[in-house]
Amino acid sequence: MLPASLNIAIMLAGYLLTMGYLALGLCILRRHRSRSWHPSKRLTPASMRRGWLGLIRQVAGTAVGGYVLLMVVMIGYYDGVAGEGVEFTVSAFEGAAALVAITLPVFFLVSWAMPAVRRRWGRRPRR
């Protein structure tokens, strides 16, 4: 097992790299503003564009993708760097699955409600 200071340093380095890449992306987007950005409809399957089936597929795909990414990071760090045991990995899988099961209905409702709210009140310009 690695010392706590090394574990914290590795996590902090990863966090700072991620935030740095995100900040760089935002700076690039601010410099090269376009009139409006809309996702390409030809790259999106027709079933995902509209309707309940499209919303369910989008929310489920986001939840599954986020869960898989979380598990990859968790296994890579805790098994590869920190050297935790199998019991910890099993517990992390179960805990993350419970978290997804609890938050998925809320994420679905917010994803369903936000376009209606935007249509109702319109998009107000940012200051």
Side-chain angles (χ1 to χ4, degrees):
M1 182 143 179
L2 295 174
S5 61
L6 184 58
N7 285 334
I8 292 171
I10 291 171
M11 286 190 299
L12 184 61
Y15 177 78
L16 291 175
L17 284 171
T18 303
M19 290 299 119
Y21 291 138
L22 291 174
L24 181 66
L26 286 174
C27 288
I28 290 171
L29 284 175
R30 279 194 129 167
R31 282 191 198 138
H32 305 291
R33 283 189 185 212
S34 61
R35 281 186 233 144
S36 65
W37 181 84
H38 297 287
S40 176
K41 290 192 177 185
R42 59 189 177 88
L43 297 177
T44 306
S47 62
M48 292 188 69
R49 290 186 195 152
R50 293 191 173 171
W52 286 103
L53 181 61
L55 179 63
I56 291 169
R57 288 178 75 181
Q58 178 184 0
V59 170
T62 302
V64 169
Y67 179 78
V68 168
L69 180 63
L70 176 65
M71 291 300 104
V72 166
V73 169
M74 190 274 311
I75 289 172
Y77 179 74
Y78 284 109
D79 287 346
V81 176
E84 292 290 332
V86 176
E87 297 84 18
F88 181 83
T89 305
V90 171
S91 175
F93 269 89
E94 292 171 355
L99 182 65
V100 169
I102 291 169
T103 58
L104 194 60
V106 175
F107 181 60
F108 177 78
L109 287 174
V110 169
S111 297
W112 172 72
M114 283 310 294
V117 169
R118 286 186 184 137
R119 277 193 307 270
R120 173 122 165 88
W121 286 305
R123 295 198 77 151
R124 295 187 179 134
R126 292 184 179 177
R127 295 178 190 195

